[in-house]
Amino acid sequence: MNARSNTRGPRARAGHGLLGWFGLLCIPAAYAAPQAPTNLIPTDLAPAGYTTTAVVAPAATCTFVTWTRGVNYSLGTIVKYPPNNQYYKLVNVGTNGSDGTDPTISTWYWQPTNCDTTTPPTGGFVVTEAQFNQMFPNRNSFYTYAGLVAAIRSYPNFAKEGGDTIARQEAAAFLANVNQETGGLVHIRELNQANWDHYCQPQGSCGGKQYYGRGPIQLSWNYNYASAGSALGLDLLNNPDLVATNSAISWQTALWYWMTQRGGASNTPHQAMVNLRAFGETIRAINGGIECNATGIGHQQMLNRGAYYRNFASILGVAPGNNQTC
C-alpha cells in the first residue's frame, strides 16, 4: 500500500465500501449477528428419500465441536453435548445436514461415540468447519472453508501467535470484520456499481480495468491490487477479477491486508490482536477513516463489528477482552 492509502483501509479511501456510505447505513436485519435456525426434528424416523449409511467407529482421538441447538452439522461431525458432556457422531444426514436434531433424541442421525482428546482442525486453524458454518449460515458458496484454510498457508502466523486464547480472539476478530465487509460472506463484489470505475490513482491510468471492492475484505484501488499481487506472487493488477473468482486467492488478499497493512492505524490488524489485544484497532486499520468517530457516518458500522466479534468469540469459546471500539 502506498502513502496515499495510509489514512484508511483497503476499501474506504474515498468513502466507498461494499455498499457505499448510504448502503452501509441501510444493511438489512438479515445481516445482523447470525442466528441459529430452529427447524428441530425430534424424531427417530429417517426423512423420506434418505438411506442409512455405514457407521464407522471413530478413533479415540478426534476433533469435536460443542453442540449448539438449531445448527445443521455435516456428515461425520462429532459434537460434545453440554447437558451430559457426552460425545455423538453424525452418521446420517437429511435435507439440511443434521436438520437441527438433538443428539439424545434422534438415534437415526446421531450415534454415541468416544472422543478422549482433540486434534487441531483442518490445517491447524482454530475455527472448525462446523463453527465457520455456524458463523456464516447464509454465506455464498464461493467463500469456502477450504479456500480459507488454503489461504492461511500463505500466512502461517495468522491465529497462531500468543497462545490459544489470543489465537481464537484473532480468528474471531478477522471473521467479524469480514462479516461486516460482505454482509455475512454473502457478497463477493462491491454492490454499488456506480463506484466501480472510481478506484484508480492517478485517475485515468488503469487502462479500463476496474479495481472496485472484491472478496472478504473488499480489496479496492489499483495500488492495493498491485501490492497484494506482488506479495502473493500473482498479477492482480492485470487480473483483478481473480479476487472474485478464485476462493483461495480471494481469502489470500484478505489475509494479506490483515497481516501486513495498517491503513490509518499504528499496527496491522494482526499486531493489534496479538500485541495490543485490541479489536477496536483492527477497525481503525480497515476502515478507521469512516468508522472511528464518536457520531455520524460509519459509527453504527463500528458498533456492528464489535457485536459480530463478541458473537464469534462466544462461538469459539473465548472471552472477547476489552478495547472493542476505536
Side-chain angles (χ1 to χ4, degrees):
M1 181 176 295
N2 63 33
R4 287 193 302 275
S5 58
N6 281 341
T7 58
R8 297 182 182 168
R11 61 177 186 81
R13 182 176 173 273
H16 305 302
L18 169 64
L19 305 177
W21 274 355
F22 299 104
L24 277 169
L25 296 175
C26 299
I27 293 176
Y31 294 163
Q35 301 296 312
T38 57
N39 56 326
L40 299 181
I41 306 176
T43 176
D44 291 340
L45 298 177
Y50 293 90
T51 57
T52 302
T53 57
V55 175
V56 180
T61 299
C62 60
T63 298
F64 70 89
V65 297
T66 301
W67 180 80
T68 302
R69 183 175 300 280
V71 173
N72 294 320
Y73 296 100
S74 57
L75 186 67
T77 299
I78 295 175
V79 300
K80 182 177 182 180
Y81 187 63
N84 62 14
N85 290 322
Q86 299 299 307
Y87 299 93
Y88 299 85
K89 183 176 182 178
L90 186 64
V91 295
N92 292 291
V93 293
T95 304
N96 297 299
S98 61
D99 287 330
T101 51
D102 185 313
T104 62
I105 295 177
S106 177
T107 57
W108 184 83
Y109 289 92
W110 299 96
Q111 175 185 291
T113 188
N114 295 316
C115 194
D116 299 327
T117 58
T118 62
T119 56
T122 304
F125 189 31
V126 295
V127 180
T128 67
E129 186 168 9
Q131 289 168 330
F132 179 77
N133 290 336
Q134 183 180 354
M135 292 172 177
F136 303 104
N138 301 311
R139 65 180 171 84
N140 190 306
S141 59
F142 171 77
Y143 291 115
T144 64
Y145 178 79
L148 172 56
V149 171
I152 291 173
R153 298 188 189 114
S154 297
Y155 292 97
N157 290 334
F158 170 69
K160 287 285 182 65
E161 295 185 297
D164 183 68
T165 294
I166 293 178
R168 291 176 186 275
Q169 287 175 336
E170 182 180 7
F174 172 75
L175 293 172
N177 279 294
V178 162
N179 189 73
Q180 173 68 27
E181 296 294 320
T182 61
L185 284 185
V186 171
H187 301 292
I188 302 171
R189 304 172 190 273
E190 182 176 337
L191 292 183
N192 190 349
Q193 295 188 27
N195 291 334
W196 281 14
D197 288 324
H198 294 173
Y199 298 100
C200 183
Q201 287 291 341
Q203 189 173 4
S205 66
C206 292
K209 290 185 170 60
Q210 296 174 312
Y211 300 98
Y212 56 83
R214 295 175 174 91
I217 207 79
Q218 289 292 284
L219 186 72
S220 306
W221 294 96
N222 54 318
Y223 43 80
N224 283 336
Y225 277 83
S227 296
S230 177
L232 298 170
L234 302 166
D235 187 4
L236 296 183
L237 192 63
N238 287 312
N239 299 284
D241 218 40
L242 285 173
V243 183
T245 57
N246 183 300
S247 180
I249 290 174
S250 194
W251 283 113
Q252 279 181 311
T253 63
L255 288 171
W256 165 79
Y257 192 88
W258 184 266
M259 298 296 292
T260 69
Q261 304 300 300
R262 296 181 301 167
S266 300
N267 296 269
T268 68
H270 172 70
Q271 291 169 338
M273 294 306 299
V274 172
N275 300 332
L276 305 178
R277 306 188 72 173
F279 174 75
E281 191 71 359
T282 71
I283 303 173
R284 189 179 303 280
I286 292 172
N287 208 25
I290 293 175
E291 298 182 22
C292 293
N293 52 69
T295 58
I297 292 176
H299 181 69
Q300 183 59 51
Q301 282 58 60
M302 178 194 71
L303 298 179
N304 290 347
R305 291 179 197 261
Y308 299 144
Y309 171 57
R310 290 187 293 274
N311 183 35
F312 289 176
S314 176
I315 289 173
L316 296 181
V318 68
N322 301 317
N323 302 313
Q324 295 176 23
T325 57
C326 58

